[in-house]
Amino acid sequence: MPASIGRIGPMSRQISKLGLRLFAVVAASAVAAMIAAPAQAAVSSVVLQNGPPYASGNYPVTVVDKGPGTVSATYLGSTYPCASANGSGQVHTNIAGVPSPYLTLTAANINNCAGPAGTTINVVLKAGCSLKVRVDPTTQASAAGLTDTAITGKVNANDASGNPCLRANGGALCQMDVGGETDATYNEVTQQLTISGSGFSVSNATGICAFVNGASISLNVAFDITPGSNPDDAINFRP
């Protein structure tokens, strides 16, 4: 039997060592990538807190626009500024789950919008209606608490039967209903709710303002949120 059979020659040992080194490099790179990758989390509960979280339940909330330039409506590519916006309702919390919705506005007003044809339009909630804000539970949530700046979700402006909840009133010149569902983002750091996107639509339009039934309309509002009854109360989305 030749001496080379049954034992590993010098060349084979070199190839084996090279393979082990290559494996070690690949393994180390994979571990480093896992360590460097940011930890992803989802929202598992929504709480109201002032230090420790309060018990699950419903708490009062008021909303006021963040000032000039933070309220407008966009229709057919044109943006119409509004003077102000405000509202009130409840924040719904659950220390062991994700409430849906987490925020309900039972009063909401968008005031003195500069409409087409020189009109001034005010938007109000219809009687018995509410705006319902839901969170996307797959959105990023920080274990640090009150550090997330973009908790995404949706705001729904329809009643239980799917009818529009908002009424835009421009007097005898133009009126219309607004309903549907559009984007909402919550910033824990500033306790700010931003409503935007093109998910709302027009219906029951009348008058000379040329609003088209079925056309998309955006209501763009940045709200400062004041939840609870104490000055330092805050809404926290927890992983």
Side-chain angles (χ1 to χ4, degrees), residues 15-180:
I15 293 173
S16 297
K17 289 179 181 178
L18 181 61
L20 288 173
R21 288 173 184 157
L22 181 60
F23 174 79
V25 170
V26 171
S29 298
V31 171
M34 287 189 292
I35 295 174
Q40 297 296 311
V43 177
S44 65
S45 63
V46 180
V47 301
L48 184 68
Q49 66 181 58
N50 188 343
Y54 298 135
S56 302
N58 302 320
Y59 296 89
V61 67
T62 57
V63 301
V64 179
D65 69 83
K66 290 185 66 65
T70 62
V71 187
S72 64
T74 302
Y75 178 73
L76 296 181
S78 297
T79 297
Y80 303 93
C82 305
S84 63
N86 56 76
S88 61
Q90 289 186 323
V91 55
H92 313 291
T93 69
N94 188 339
I95 63 174
V98 180
S100 184
Y102 71 86
L103 189 68
T104 300
L105 296 181
T106 50
N109 303 281
I110 301 177
N111 309 306
N112 296 324
C113 298
T119 58
T120 298
I121 298 175
N122 296 297
V123 182
V124 299
L125 268 175
K126 295 181 181 179
C129 269
S130 63
L131 297 181
K132 298 162 285 292
V133 187
R134 296 181 171 85
V135 64
D136 176 1
T138 65
T139 195
Q140 179 77 26
S142 170
L146 299 179
T147 57
D148 286 297
T149 59
I151 298 290
T152 59
K154 297 288 185 180
V155 56
N156 186 283
N158 289 338
D159 65 14
S161 299
N163 300 310
C165 273
L166 293 170
R167 183 64 174 170
N169 187 352
L173 293 177
C174 57
Q175 297 192 15
M176 63 178 174
D177 291 337
V178 175

Side-chain angles (χ1 to χ4, degrees), residues 146-219:
L146 299 179
T147 57
D148 286 297
T149 59
I151 298 290
T152 59
K154 297 288 185 180
V155 56
N156 186 283
N158 289 338
D159 65 14
S161 299
N163 300 310
C165 273
L166 293 170
R167 183 64 174 170
N169 187 352
L173 293 177
C174 57
Q175 297 192 15
M176 63 178 174
D177 291 337
V178 175
E181 188 171 77
T182 196
D183 296 331
T185 304
Y186 201 89
N187 186 324
E188 290 181 330
V189 177
T190 60
Q191 294 290 291
Q192 175 182 318
L193 175 71
T194 301
I195 298 173
S196 62
S198 57
F200 289 155
S201 61
V202 173
S203 61
N204 301 319
T206 62
I208 65 171
C209 289
F211 287 110
V212 179
N213 289 328
S216 172
I217 187 169
S218 299
L219 298 179

